[in-house]
Amino acid sequence: MGNSSDYYLNRKETLKVRISAIIIFALALMIFYSLYLYSIQVIKGDVYKERASSVARRESVIPTLRGEIYDRNYDLQLVMNVDSFAVDIIPADIDYEKLDDIVSMLSSILEIKKDDILSKISPKMKQQYVPVEIKDNIKYDKIIYLAENIDKFPGVSWRNKPIRDHYGPGSFSHILGYTGNITREELQVLYNKGYAADAELGKMGIEKEYDDILRGKKGVRYNTVDVKGRKIGDARGKEVISPIIGKTLVLTLDRHIQALCEKALGERIGSVVVMKPSTGEILAMVSYPWYDSNKFYGNTTFQYFNSLSLDSRFPFLNRNIQSVYAPGSVFKIIMTAALLEEELFSPRERIECKGSVRLGDRVFNCHKKTGHGYVDLADALAESCDVYYWIVGREYLGIDRIAEYSRRFGLGQRTGIDIPGEVRGLVPTPEWKNSSYNVPWVGGDTFNISIGQGYLETTPLQIANAISMVVNEGVNYVPRLIKEVRDPVSGKIIESIEPKVLNKTVIRKETFQKVKELMKGVVTKGTAKVVVTTKATQVAGKTGTSEVGLVDRWTSWFGAYAPYITDDPDEQVVVVVMVEATNEWEWWAPKATNVILQGIFANQTYEEAAEALNIWYLKKPRDIIRERAE
């Protein structure tokens, strides 16, 4: 019995211990969770509240406006934003039993294929409340129709989405460029710079080069949503972050000079560049053929892009900076400077031009088959005597000096102009030829480069910059298209772009002064005398024709500056016109330059300048016949 009593007593004590342990554990657990809840709700309450808010809060983008672009006078927008709309579909709001009817009606209204709409929405998206863009660039009248018949279009909505509108001469297209939706490849590169999958960015020209300045910054609107993404009210706290409008760009271009140059070149494949040598500012830049930038914002964008891509005239090409040509006799400006600076051959010493020169088993013919007779440096540049430059180039200067002076004037290097796509060109050397073709440099190669032919490749802008160095007597500047950056609201100047030196040479000022004098002789008594007839200003320049293997046409060049002498360097301009040999031969470059300089310095339009000059090559055939009859 005693043993039994002890057993029950021990069991009772054990039970009490266990119950006490359970109670203690329960109390400890309660205290732990109480402290934990206190920590969550009080100590770290703000942190978890923010996390909960972020889960329930969704953000929607408030689109910004892209910066506008003006010409140098800041009185007319060359590129502006025009109201347009984008149509969206919210998949979760669609009645999928009527999907085919809805898509058919949208297809007809928006002028888009049914398959294009269906490719953007699918049954898998039934629970999605995030809008899917179906089409942008929708006109207001179509939005009105959708609004009036909204009951027929469940799940369809629209929003404002401005597009770019380009104004002014068509030739602005190569400079301004256009914008488009970001591609997957572009997004991979630009994602870390803040670009999103729905971003619009510049594709060419100024729009591309200055995209980070023009694009602005989108705003954000916060909304509280349920688990399916449906809006149930505005989030508290920071509800809206306002968008920042892109900055305004003011170009160096003058739309009046641009229109003048465009008409002077006409429908000839070629280019015109007008620049201020004192600053590097581009006043006009024309390349023909051009394209219509506005056609990249519409229903036929893809078709238009394809048609341009297949055009054998290459309308996407800005021939001022993206094409290279043999400069022909315009290069003799650099040869003349080299001769004067090196003093290896007296400028007064004469060389007899009989119309040709024999070198080995080849005969090189001067452009004047009967020859120029005895000519010194002034006569040779004025009459563009090839024989003179062949002899002094090969026998006195040599290829090494010719190449050195070419580089001093900026050939064979990019000018650094502020639009993408510029090419370098080529200043050939014996080392280059040997490494490229595995053949040695020969005397005929020196003959060719001495008159701007052969392997020498330049862009029209490089020639303009080389002439600018002559005008500035030893320095030229980085060509630029941006004059200033302005605030989009107040118009206040944020940044004015200052000139930046590109090349500064050690050539003597006296050498440049003599070159300018000889360039004046080209116009007053040389090859350009018969075509450069403007009295609005004094002109100095150089004609050039480069061979391309055709017997009836050549590439026509004319590089000039005006006024020849002035007390105000800021009023001087350099003009370079290049007309490709693909056109019918008209020797048009100096003729176009004549009209351009007349228009600039007489403040005239193309039509007024042509009338003032009253010269035969600017008249229509019927006008000539009528004048003869009278």
Side-chain angles (χ1 to χ4, degrees):
M1 290 293 292
N3 291 338
S4 176
S5 175
D6 291 340
Y7 171 76
Y8 284 110
L9 286 173
N10 291 336
R11 186 175 181 184
K12 187 176 182 179
E13 289 298 325
T14 302
L15 186 61
K16 286 180 179 180
V17 171
R18 289 179 177 177
I19 291 172
S20 298
I22 292 172
I23 292 172
I24 292 171
F25 176 77
L27 287 172
L29 195 63
M30 289 177 62
I31 293 171
F32 172 78
Y33 278 110
S34 296
L35 291 173
Y36 182 69
L37 289 172
Y38 179 80
S39 174
I40 293 175
Q41 295 179 357
V42 180
I43 298 175
K44 297 182 178 179
D46 291 339
V47 175
Y48 289 103
K49 184 178 179 180
E50 180 63 26
R51 289 184 184 179
S53 176
S54 66
V55 170
R57 189 170 61 179
R58 293 292 183 271
E59 58 184 51
S60 57
V61 172
I62 304 174
T64 185
L65 290 175
R66 197 169 175 85
E68 295 176 331
I69 303 175
Y70 287 76
D71 89 329
R72 71 181 293 110
N73 303 303
Y74 191 55
D75 60 354
L76 181 69
Q77 298 159 313
L78 300 179
V79 184
M80 65 192 81
N81 300 300
V82 175
D83 279 342
S84 181
F85 297 87
V87 172
D88 299 328
I89 287 181
I90 300 176
D93 289 340
I94 296 176
D95 184 349
Y96 278 83
E97 293 182 359
K98 299 179 180 179
L99 179 61
D100 190 67
D101 293 336
I102 295 172
V103 170
S104 295
M105 288 187 290
L106 278 178
S107 173
S108 176
I109 295 167
L110 303 181
E111 299 177 5
I112 183 175
K113 295 178 181 179
K114 286 178 60 176
D115 291 344
D116 291 340
I117 300 176
L118 292 172
S119 66
K120 297 182 179 182
I121 55 175
S122 67
K124 294 180 180 180
M125 304 165 67
K126 282 185 178 182
Q127 304 302 316
Q128 178 178 314
Y129 284 86
V130 178
V132 176
E133 183 177 302
I134 299 303
K135 192 175 186 298
D136 60 5
N137 194 21
I138 305 298
K139 300 300 181 184
Y140 185 58
D141 58 336
K142 297 185 184 295
I143 298 301
I144 291 177
Y145 181 85
L146 288 175
E148 291 175 344
N149 298 272
I150 192 60
D151 57 315
K152 298 179 182 178
F153 301 99
V156 176
S157 62
W158 52 87
R159 56 191 162 82
N160 185 263
K161 187 180 181 181
I163 61 170
R164 303 293 262 174
D165 184 46
H166 294 247
Y167 177 83
S171 56
F172 273 138
S173 59
H174 290 111
I175 302 162
L176 298 173
Y178 59 92
T179 62
N181 294 327
I182 193 168
T183 64
R184 183 179 301 176
E185 293 76 15
E186 289 168 334
L187 182 60
Q188 290 175 348
V189 176
L190 299 172
Y191 180 79
N192 290 334
K193 293 185 178 181
Y195 288 81
D198 62 345
E200 178 186 17
L201 77 162
K203 298 291 186 177
M204 292 182 71
I206 293 292
E207 292 276 22
K208 180 176 182 179
E209 184 73 15
Y210 291 94
D211 188 75
D212 57 336
I213 294 177
L214 289 167
R215 71 188 183 105
K217 188 175 182 181
K218 294 178 179 179
V220 180
R221 179 181 291 108
Y222 294 97
N223 297 290
T224 304
V225 298
D226 61 16
V227 293
K228 292 185 177 181
R230 293 174 294 194
K231 295 179 183 179
I232 59 175
D234 289 333
R236 294 183 178 181
K238 189 182 289 184
E239 298 178 353
V240 174
I241 298 177
S242 299
I244 299 173
I245 300 174
K247 294 180 178 64
T248 296
L249 294 182
V250 180
L251 305 184
T252 61
L253 297 170
D254 187 311
R255 66 181 184 276
H256 304 296
I257 299 178
Q258 183 82 9
L260 170 68
C261 294
E262 179 180 307
K263 292 182 178 180
L265 180 62
E267 295 184 355
R268 299 172 181 86
I269 299 175
S271 66
V272 181
V273 59
V274 180
M275 70 185 297
K276 293 178 66 173
S278 61
T279 62
E281 292 176 88
I282 303 295
L283 300 178
M285 181 177 280
V286 175
S287 178
Y288 185 85
W290 51 79
Y291 55 86
D292 185 350
S293 297
N294 287 323
K295 290 187 178 180
F296 287 99
Y297 312 98
N299 300 330
T300 59
T301 298
F302 183 75
Q303 295 90 326
Y304 185 59
F305 183 88
N306 278 349
S307 67
L308 293 175
S309 301
L310 297 173
D311 192 330
S312 60
R313 301 174 304 164
F314 306 109
F316 277 125
L317 206 60
N318 183 346
R319 286 168 163 79
N320 282 292
I321 65 171
Q322 294 177 309
S323 286
V324 289
Y325 307 88
S329 293
V330 175
F331 182 71
K332 292 171 183 174
I333 296 173
I334 296 175
M335 291 289 293
T336 299
L339 279 169
L340 291 169
E341 183 68 12
E342 293 295 321
E343 298 182 328
L344 296 171
F345 187 79
S346 171
R348 291 182 295 275
E349 189 169 344
R350 294 177 176 272
I351 292 175
E352 184 180 10
C353 171
K354 297 181 179 180
S356 64
V357 171
R358 177 175 290 276
L359 182 64
D361 58 354
R362 282 193 60 188
V363 174
F364 291 79
N365 294 306
C366 186
H367 71 89
K368 186 176 182 181
K369 300 294 178 62
T370 57
H372 292 95
Y374 285 93
V375 293
D376 60 12
L377 180 58
D379 298 327
L381 188 67
E383 297 298 333
S384 200
C385 177
D386 293 334
V387 170
Y388 181 93
Y389 284 94
W390 282 332
I391 291 174
V392 297
R394 181 174 182 269
E395 296 183 10
Y396 294 93
L397 284 175
I399 180 55
D400 291 336
R401 287 194 184 92
I402 294 173
E404 178 189 348
Y405 276 85
S406 298
R407 288 189 287 267
R408 287 188 187 184
F409 278 81
L411 303 190
Q413 59 182 283
R414 295 182 180 89
T415 67
I417 188 171
D418 49 347
I419 49 176
E422 184 181 19
V423 296
R424 187 183 297 274
L426 174 66
V427 175
T429 62
E431 294 76 19
W432 167 84
K433 186 183 179 185
N434 186 59
S435 63
S436 299
Y437 298 101
N438 198 29
V439 291
W441 189 269
V442 295
D445 294 323
T446 304
F447 265 29
N448 284 331
I449 194 174
S450 296
I451 61 168
Q453 294 280 174
Y455 299 111
L456 183 65
E457 294 179 344
T458 64
T459 66
L461 184 59
Q462 287 175 336
I463 296 299
N465 237 23
I467 294 175
S468 293
M469 178 170 280
V470 174
V471 177
N472 297 331
E473 298 180 354
V475 62
N476 58 20
Y477 297 91
V478 176
R480 56 189 172 92
L481 291 159
I482 298 298
K483 181 182 178 185
E484 56 200 22
V485 181
R486 290 180 178 254
D487 183 272
V489 178
S490 67
K492 182 180 178 180
I493 296 176
I494 299 173
E495 180 184 5
S496 292
I497 311 302
E498 298 298 326
K500 181 180 179 182
V501 172
L502 176 64
N503 293 300
K504 192 170 185 178
T505 183
V506 295
I507 298 174
R508 294 169 299 170
K509 289 186 179 295
E510 294 79 10
T511 294
F512 288 114
Q513 290 165 358
K514 185 62 177 179
V515 172
K516 289 191 281 187
E517 178 188 326
L518 298 181
M519 288 173 66
K520 182 68 169 63
V522 174
V523 177
T524 57
K525 62 180 182 179
T527 53
K529 180 180 180 179
V530 294
V531 287
V532 180
T533 60
T534 178
K535 298 295 188 289
T537 185
Q538 286 188 311
V539 183
K542 182 67 188 79
T543 55
T545 52
S546 57
E547 298 179 3
V548 294
L550 301 173
V551 296
D552 61 342
R553 62 192 67 186
W554 304 263
T555 296
S556 176
W557 287 87
F558 193 65
Y561 77 92
Y564 166 58
I565 297 177
T566 179
D567 294 328
D568 181 13
D570 199 50
E571 73 170 339
Q572 289 181 309
V573 298
V574 169
V575 179
V576 172
V577 179
M578 184 279 304
V579 181
E580 285 188 9
T582 49
N583 303 276
E584 182 180 350
W585 176 248
E586 300 173 277
W587 198 37
W588 191 254
K591 297 173 183 177
T593 305
N594 189 35
V595 184
I596 292 168
L597 291 174
Q598 172 71 27
I600 291 174
F601 289 96
N603 194 25
Q604 296 173 333
T605 65
Y606 171 79
E607 291 77 14
E608 292 168 342
E611 183 177 354
L613 290 171
N614 190 31
I615 42 186
W616 63 270
Y617 57 77
L618 296 175
K619 298 178 182 178
K620 297 178 180 178
R622 60 175 177 270
D623 295 331
I624 297 175
I625 294 172
R626 186 178 66 250
E627 287 181 3
R628 288 176 178 173
E630 293 173 351

